[in-house]
């Protein structure tokens, strides 16, 4: 599965996402492992692997990092979505107007 940066707010506002894409693969487990005293483990790709990684991390006497790869893409089941309206972009004036009219 290709990781695509989440851009639900951009998609909701403009029906398009704007992002940088430098194709640099980052090995977060390896990156965290270079820190002295840190145990870094992969959370795997399924619930069983994650449970196993969490057991290992919990048993470690120190700081543990569990890397959990997540889906980012257009499937609504894989994201948090963009709820409501935000005071950015083409919604700014409507949201700002509603904010000012609040009875605080």
């Amino acid at each position: 599965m290709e990781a695509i940066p989440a851009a639900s707010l951009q998609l909701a506002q403009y029906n398009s996402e704007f992002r940088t894409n430098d194709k640099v693969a980052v090995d977060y487990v390896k990156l965290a492992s270079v820190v002295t005293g840190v145990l870094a483990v992969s959370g795997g790709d399924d619930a069983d692997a994650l449970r196993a990684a969490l057991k290992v991390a919990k048993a470690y006497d120190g700081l543990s990092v569990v890397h959990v790869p997540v889906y980012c893409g257009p499937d609504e089941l894989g994201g948090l979505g963009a709820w409501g309206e935000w005071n950015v972009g083409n919604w700014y004036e409507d949201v700002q107007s509603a904010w000012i009219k609040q009875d605080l």
Side-chain angles (χ1 to χ4, degrees), residues 19-63:
R19 62 188 172 108
T20 59
N21 185 357
D22 56 17
K23 303 275 187 195
V24 174
V26 178
D27 184 335
Y28 292 100
V29 174
K30 196 176 285 187
L31 180 65
S33 294
V34 300
V35 179
T36 302
V38 172
L39 172 69
V41 294
S42 171
D45 293 318
D46 60 36
D48 289 335
L50 178 57
R51 283 187 202 93
L54 290 171
K55 284 181 184 177
V56 169
K58 184 177 180 183
Y60 182 68
D61 187 28
L63 179 64

Side-chain angles (χ1 to χ4, degrees), residues 61-72:
D61 187 28
L63 179 64
S64 298
V65 172
V66 178
H67 173 250
V68 180
V70 296
Y71 170 80
C72 292

Side-chain angles (χ1 to χ4, degrees), residues 4 7 11 15 18 20-21 33 37 40 47 49-50 53 59 62-63 65 68 70 76 79 84 87 89-90 92 103-104:
I4 300 171
L11 289 170
N15 201 29
F18 305 94
T20 59
N21 185 357
S33 294
L50 178 57
L63 179 64
V65 172
V68 180
V70 296
E76 290 183 18
N87 62 340
N90 57 350
Y92 176 77
D103 184 21
L104 299 176

